[in-house]
Amino acid sequence: MAYDRGDRGDRMEAPSYEKLRVKDEELDYKNVELLKKCIGGQGQMFSRRRTGFSAQRQRLLKSAIKRARHLGLLPFVE
Amino acid sequence: MSRIYEIMYLIDNDLVRAGWSQAKATASALVEKHGGHVLTARRWDERKLAYPIHRRRRGTYLLAHAELEPTGIVGLRRELDLAEHVLRYLILQVETVPEEERALTEAESAAGFSVPPPPEEAVHGADEAEEPDTDEEAEEASEGAVPAGELAREEV
């Protein structure tokens, strides 16, 4: 049912995701199962908005994923 | 002042087929050569790689810990870069060696331990052009990666 959105006009809303339910396991490059949950269909890393991680944890995730990719455990692109 | 490092090697399956203990010994020797003292070394996994590395699609991972002077790192890296059968490596500094690693290393040196030979794969170098994805799926179904830790077996 259309109603007047006033100044919001055509602005679209950001998509909302379900955040990852990831337990507090150690973020290690060896933990491939956990890491796999944090990457998307094309191998890209999820943002903090998606993972729900704290800034510190997200940084650990980033380096874990990059190391795993270097070792051939995770893809760069799929 | 010595530090403790964690070293993960990605080893070419050809070397592993020739003999796992030789492969492990070769890797350990490189560390010792640069003043290191190997604390643990065990097979971490043999698996399909997420992307081809040096034209190979499968590889064996060796996880080791060693005590080493920081000055030795440079030489070790150089050596690993040149080693033909070491496809990738990762050296990290760690505070301590995790207990499970020591235990798993023990299990490997115990008698009766055997490592399944890596599955054969299609000739490297001949790919890129051919090999549609369906072939890879058939390969997937016929083997299963041995989970790390459940490796000790009797040889019949």
Side-chain angles (χ1 to χ4, degrees):
Chain A
M1 236 315 257
Y3 64 95
D4 185 3
R5 297 188 77 209
D7 286 345
R8 283 176 294 148
D10 298 325
R11 211 170 289 154
M12 298 186 54
E13 288 174 6
S16 59
Y17 309 102
E18 244 188 55
K19 297 209 175 161
L20 282 184
R21 312 269 170 79
V22 167
K23 297 171 237 178
D24 263 336
E25 275 175 69
E26 199 189 336
L27 286 168
D28 189 52
Y29 68 93
K30 303 192 279 290
N31 210 333
V32 181
E33 265 138 48
L34 174 59
L35 261 31
K36 272 217 167 113
K37 295 188 195 160
C38 302
I39 62 176
Q42 303 206 348
Q44 73 275 48
M45 280 191 247
F46 285 156
S47 61
R48 263 188 77 192
R49 201 158 53 126
R50 193 83 158 81
T51 63
F53 286 168
S54 69
Q56 182 187 47
R57 221 158 136 70
Q58 185 74 8
R59 288 193 299 271
L60 293 173
L61 174 68
K62 180 167 95 172
S63 47
I65 290 180
K66 289 180 176 178
R67 285 174 184 163
R69 285 174 173 167
H70 168 72
L71 287 173
L73 295 166
L74 284 179
F76 283 92
V77 200
E78 284 202 86
Chain B
M1 196 51 234
S2 250
R3 296 181 189 167
I4 303 181
Y5 295 93
E6 175 176 298
I7 310 174
M8 177 73 99
Y9 306 79
L10 209 209
I11 299 181
D12 183 6
N13 278 344
D14 289 339
L15 186 64
V16 177
R17 276 186 212 109
W20 173 244
S21 15
Q22 283 92 291
K24 200 161 51 151
T26 312
S28 300
L30 291 177
V31 176
E32 310 248 321
K33 187 169 163 192
H34 291 275
H37 166 58
V38 177
L39 298 167
T40 73
R42 61 140 178 142
R43 177 184 185 268
W44 185 74
D45 200 2
E46 190 281 333
R47 69 204 290 164
K48 179 171 171 200
L49 304 175
Y51 53 91
I53 295 181
H54 289 307
R55 301 257 169 86
R56 291 152 178 81
R57 289 166 190 263
R58 303 191 67 94
T60 301
Y61 292 89
L62 171 68
L63 178 58
H65 288 85
E67 220 174 311
L68 180 58
E69 284 293 324
T71 45
I73 295 283
V74 179
L76 178 58
R77 284 182 196 244
R78 179 111 224 285
E79 197 92 50
L80 290 173
D81 285 333
L82 295 173
E84 264 179 33
H85 295 282
V86 177
L87 306 176
R88 286 280 211 274
Y89 61 89
L90 181 58
I91 303 175
L92 298 176
Q93 187 181 345
V94 295
E95 294 284 310
T96 56
V97 182
E99 266 316 303
E100 320 91 63
E101 295 301 318
R102 292 197 191 264
L104 289 165
T105 301
E106 283 296 315
E108 283 204 13
S109 32
F113 176 81
S114 72
V115 162
E120 295 292 328
E121 33 176 329
V123 175
H124 346 118
D127 52 308
E128 317 304 70
E130 57 205 60
E131 209 155 338
D133 283 350
T134 49
D135 277 1
E136 299 231 331
E137 279 168 34
E139 224 192 283
E140 275 280 317
S142 61
E143 33 76 8
V146 178
E150 298 178 24
L151 300 171
R153 291 207 285 224
E154 291 287 329
E155 278 222 85
V156 177

